[in-house]
């Protein structure tokens, strides 16, 4: 039985918000997961997975140490942002993510070809390298991209070749992972890919469950072995 701590101590979206995340919550419960709101990071060690979904407040030095220790000892941390640095989300996330070799950019990824909306902001991508068991295609609305600044960081998801960011070039990485000790940190540019609208699109629900419950498979393709540092 996996235990998930969903942080709300940094003014994140609560998973108990029926309008936004009830489908995600109900799916996890139906699969036997324990999902609880985490109101104090000092209690993080009671969980297997910690989620920070749209944190609006930065992480202080003590919290950074606690989270890193949690990862080193085998925990999985998932921290997800949003495009354009709205509500200073990128700033808040980077106060932690930079310790793990990743920066969430204050950009937007646009795909004029593979998108559900005419502005190209509801990205569709099949370039999913990790946590892709049963996953062929996912929807990522309002996505920022990642700048990888450490050799130990591995992209999980890229935007399609038709996508671009003014800050990060064509087909940038939008999800990445880094293993530290026995655990891992996962950083993503879209915090709404698993909301009540998106989770029913394509293979979003499977991808969400893979991330949260730890199911992984690696796709061996050319872009999976290329260096992507910016």
């Amino acid at each position: 039985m996996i235990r998930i701590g969903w942080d709300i101590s940094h003014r994140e979206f609560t998973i108990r918000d029926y309008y936004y995340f009830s489908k995600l919550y109900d799916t996890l419960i139906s699969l036997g997961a324990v999902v609880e709101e985490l109101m104090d990071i000092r209690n993080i060690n009671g969980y297997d997975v910690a989620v920070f979904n749209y944190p609006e407040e930065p992480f202080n030095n003590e919290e950074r140490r606690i989270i890193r220790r949690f990862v080193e000892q085998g925990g999985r941390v998932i921290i997800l942002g949003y495009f354009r640095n709205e509500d200073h989300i990128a700033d808040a996330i980077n106060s932690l993510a930079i310790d793990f070799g990743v920066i969430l950019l204050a950009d937007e990824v646009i795909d004029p070809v593979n998108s559900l909306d005419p502005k190209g902001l509801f990205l569709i991508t099949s370039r999913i390298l990790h946590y892709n068991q049963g996953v062929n295609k996912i929807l990522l609305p309002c996505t920022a991209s990642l700048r990888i600044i450490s050799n130990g960081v591995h992209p999980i998801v890229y935007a399609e070749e038709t996508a671009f960011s003014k800050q990060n070039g064509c087909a940038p990485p939008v999800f990445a992972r880094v293993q530290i000790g026995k655990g891992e940190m996962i950083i993503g540019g879209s915090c709404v890919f698993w909301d009540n609208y998106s989770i029913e699109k394509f293979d979003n629900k499977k991808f969400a469950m893979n991330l949260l419950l730890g199911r992984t498979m690696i796709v061996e393709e050319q872009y999976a072995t290329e260096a992507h540092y910016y």
Side-chain angles (χ1 to χ4, degrees):
M1 178 173 58
I2 194 164
R3 296 180 61 85
I4 299 169
W6 186 283
D7 191 66
I8 58 172
S9 69
H10 289 71
R11 297 173 58 199
E12 296 96 339
F13 290 116
T14 171
I15 195 171
R16 295 188 182 277
D17 187 311
Y18 183 82
Y19 184 81
Y20 287 109
F21 297 110
S22 59
K23 292 179 181 179
L24 174 62
Y25 179 81
D26 289 346
T27 300
L28 287 167
I29 297 302
S30 71
L31 293 174
V34 173
V35 184
E36 298 174 339
E37 292 179 344
L38 181 60
M39 293 178 282
D40 189 332
I41 287 179
R42 290 173 294 183
N43 297 326
I44 197 172
N45 289 326
Y47 300 96
D48 304 296
V49 180
V51 179
F52 301 89
N53 201 59
Y54 200 89
E56 295 187 43
E57 296 179 354
F59 298 83
N60 62 39
N61 290 338
E62 180 187 8
E63 291 171 333
R64 290 161 61 188
R65 287 193 295 269
I66 290 171
I67 291 171
R68 187 176 186 90
R69 190 181 311 117
F70 172 75
V71 173
E72 289 175 341
Q73 294 175 350
R76 181 184 307 114
V77 170
I78 301 171
I79 185 165
L80 303 178
Y82 203 58
F83 71 170
R84 300 174 182 169
N85 196 23
E86 292 200 4
D87 295 322
H88 297 285
I89 293 303
D91 296 334
I93 287 177
N94 290 335
S95 68
L96 175 66
I98 195 169
D99 294 344
F100 293 85
V102 186
I103 296 174
L104 179 70
L105 296 180
D107 67 348
E108 60 185 21
V109 183
I110 297 173
D111 192 328
V113 177
N114 297 285
S115 177
L116 283 189
D117 76 307
K119 293 185 177 181
L121 291 170
F122 280 37
L123 308 182
I124 302 168
T125 184
S126 60
R127 301 181 70 196
I128 307 145
L129 279 61
H130 300 261
Y131 292 100
N132 54 11
Q133 184 175 345
V135 178
N136 296 308
K137 187 182 295 185
I138 58 175
L139 171 68
L140 299 174
C142 302
T143 305
S145 69
L146 305 177
R147 177 167 291 151
I148 295 172
I149 58 176
S150 170
N151 289 333
V153 180
H154 303 283
I156 296 175
V157 180
Y158 287 101
E160 294 285 355
E161 297 288 354
T162 49
F164 65 91
S165 158
K166 291 181 179 179
Q167 294 187 37
N168 213 7
C170 295
V174 290
F175 273 71
R177 64 184 288 269
V178 56
Q179 183 171 348
I180 304 291
K182 298 178 181 179
E184 66 178 348
M185 164 75 78
I186 294 171
I187 302 100
S190 175
C191 65
V192 291
F193 83 95
W194 53 17
D195 70 6
N196 282 353
Y197 170 78
S198 300
I199 200 168
E200 300 291 352
K201 304 296 184 184
F202 305 109
D203 298 314
N204 280 39
K205 184 180 292 186
K206 291 180 181 178
F207 183 59
M209 294 304 105
N210 290 352
L211 288 177
L212 289 163
L213 303 180
R215 303 163 183 168
T216 186
M217 183 183 299
I218 299 176
V219 173
E220 296 295 341
E221 296 191 25
Q222 180 180 358
Y223 55 76
T225 57
E226 294 174 350
H228 288 266
Y229 303 106
Y230 300 91

